[in-house]
Amino acid sequence: MTETQEKTLFLSKSDVIFNLFYEENMRNICISKLLFFAFLGLLFLPACAEKGSVENLAEKIKLVWPTPPQEAKIEWVKEYKMLEEAARKGFWGKIGDFFLGPKIAHITRPYGVCTDDGNLLFIADTGSSIIHVFDMEKGHYRLIEGDENVPLSTPIGLTYVDGSLYITDSSQGSILQYDLQNKSLSRLISMNIGRPTGIAFSELDQQLYVSDTVAHQVVAYNRAGVEQFRFGERGTGEGQFNFPTDLWIDASGKVYVTDALNARVQIFSATGEFLTEFGQLGDTPGSFSKPKGIAVDQHGHIYVCDALFDAVQIFNGAGQLLINFGDNGTRPGQFWMPSGIFIDRQNRIYVADTYNRRVQVFQYLD
């Protein structure tokens, strides 16, 4: 073989090696690009899929009560079951979730529920001994929990007043105050109260009303935690209680009390004078089996959760049944032992669906 032929053969081998290397390198680059774009797709696909599924669900489920042809008065809106921290995330947040997994807060056993009459939703979770705080507009989540100085054991009732959340802790026998701006939890009341459950605030007289279930009384405090008066005793007569639980105060200052084991609702003036009552033990609509949460909408309609009926019953001011909604089950609009209820100024209804581990939202249709 001549020198020229050897050079030609060498160059040919070099070209082959170079071409093989080049092709392999380009193949790796293409694969890397494909993986990168696939990764981006995975980041944004869940959000798109979730949005689509929620929209499809909203289109398919038009739950209203009563059912047609009657005029609808209550409409199912949504449910809150898993609260994702910083639900609306940017690019790097999605990357973190891809590798580490999103931070999800599961509701364990909700009872009390309320809002700040804005975008903040508060949920007392007795199963986890925490308060969930969820911004319904921005999607941000955080929680309130106790510590060794101010323990939080069994949160039941909630009410929001001017930047503070008031919490009843039934097993601790205390009422706590959480300052949202300073993010500080403090003990407001822990004396002369046995088992606080329901709590409500009267804008008219600027007082907190608390049901002391084991004392069979309702106690009124000012916002500094100083007792003003109390009313009630154990019994079945007017103004007497048999384990009262939940409370509501309407715009006129009237106090609505779920008198649980007397299977009735009693209504009092702001000073604790008995006004009227309605309800009796039974298993038919309009009666009560295990009444719990109570609330009043802007039209004066009275809503009562019944944990054994798995329903919410709506009465007029005279105690006459208007409609009820819900039955036993896990689907939208169904309940499994509902407990707390809250109605905001827009007549949006929040129900703690306790053993379904969620809060369901409904709208009163004017």
Side-chain angles (χ1 to χ4, degrees), residues 109-302:
R109 196 165 71 247
Y111 193 105
V113 59
C114 74
T115 73
D116 64 346
D117 270 323
N119 299 315
L120 292 182
L121 173 65
F122 306 97
I123 304 169
D125 193 334
T126 61
S128 300
S129 300
I130 59 174
I131 309 295
H132 301 279
V133 184
F134 185 69
D135 190 316
M136 296 179 285
E137 180 180 7
K138 297 179 180 178
H140 297 162
Y141 169 80
R142 58 192 170 99
L143 59 85
I144 301 170
E145 56 187 343
D147 56 31
E148 58 182 11
N149 296 319
V150 186
L152 180 60
S153 179
T154 314
I156 297 289
L158 302 174
T159 192
Y160 173 88
V161 187
D162 299 333
S164 288
L165 184 69
Y166 295 90
I167 308 160
T168 61
D169 189 329
S170 63
S171 63
Q172 294 283 341
S174 61
I175 299 167
L176 309 178
Q177 180 179 359
Y178 182 79
D179 187 308
L180 271 75
Q181 183 175 359
N182 298 325
K183 297 181 180 179
S184 60
L185 184 66
S186 59
R187 187 180 291 106
L188 182 69
I189 301 164
S190 60
M191 299 289 290
N192 300 320
I193 190 161
R195 193 174 183 86
T197 50
I199 186 169
F201 179 73
S202 172
E203 295 183 357
L204 196 65
D205 58 18
Q206 295 291 298
Q207 293 186 145
L208 292 163
Y209 291 77
V210 179
S211 56
D212 188 343
T213 300
V214 295
H216 311 284
Q217 292 182 322
V218 173
V219 190
Y221 301 91
N222 64 20
R223 290 186 60 183
V226 178
E227 183 177 328
Q228 304 300 296
F229 60 89
R230 60 178 62 208
F231 58 92
E233 60 182 0
R234 189 167 193 180
T236 59
E238 295 179 352
Q240 296 180 324
F241 299 113
N242 193 7
F243 294 95
T245 54
D246 296 84
L247 298 173
W248 186 267
I249 312 291
D250 71 10
S252 68
K254 287 190 291 188
V255 184
Y256 299 75
V257 184
T258 302
D259 189 6
L261 295 192
N262 280 331
R264 64 183 177 181
V265 169
Q266 295 197 67
I267 306 174
F268 300 85
S269 71
T271 56
E273 299 174 26
F274 173 83
L275 298 177
T276 188
E277 67 176 76
F278 66 88
Q280 65 283 324
L281 183 65
D283 58 4
T284 57
S287 59
F288 296 124
S289 182
K290 193 173 183 179
K292 288 198 170 185
I294 187 168
V296 180
D297 68 18
Q298 300 298 306
H299 301 287
H301 303 136
I302 306 166

